[in-house]
Amino acid sequence: MIKDQDVTAVDRLIDFYGEYLSVKFRELDFELGDLREFLVDNNISLSIDVFNVNRNGIFDIDNNQIVKITGLDNFNKDDLIKI
């Protein structure tokens, strides 16, 4: 039986910002939804039990940034237009 990859840290960011926020992972640019698919397709886990998630991204136990949010300024501007 194949176990699904635990990408709950990315899921938490999707809960915060939605799946279209721009992020950087391993020097590659993604939207959060695409990053989630990339991780699952490539058998990479980012579990909320192992990684810390905050409004700035995903960090390992040594506080190294694993996923960097790069599109927050655009996200905030787009969000304000909706008001």
Side-chain angles (χ1 to χ4, degrees), residues 6 8-9 46-52 61:
D6 186 344
T8 50
L46 287 179
S47 171
I48 202 162
D49 295 329
V50 177
F51 294 91
N52 298 313
I61 197 159

Side-chain angles (χ1 to χ4, degrees), residues 7-68:
V7 292
T8 50
V10 174
D11 291 338
R12 176 67 55 93
L13 285 180
I14 291 172
D15 289 345
F16 288 160
Y17 297 113
E19 59 187 29
Y20 299 108
L21 183 70
S22 296
V23 296
K24 190 171 287 267
F25 173 73
R26 294 185 179 170
E27 302 303 317
L28 299 171
D29 294 316
F30 293 93
E31 290 182 345
L32 280 173
D34 294 333
L35 174 59
R36 188 184 195 291
E37 288 180 27
F38 174 84
L39 296 173
V40 170
D41 290 347
N42 290 282
N43 203 27
I44 301 168
S45 289
L46 287 179
S47 171
I48 202 162
D49 295 329
V50 177
F51 294 91
N52 298 313
V53 180
N54 65 37
R55 62 185 178 94
N56 298 311
I58 300 173
F59 298 82
D60 67 13
I61 197 159
D62 295 322
N63 210 31
N64 296 308
Q65 194 165 25
I66 305 301
V67 175
K68 179 180 181 182

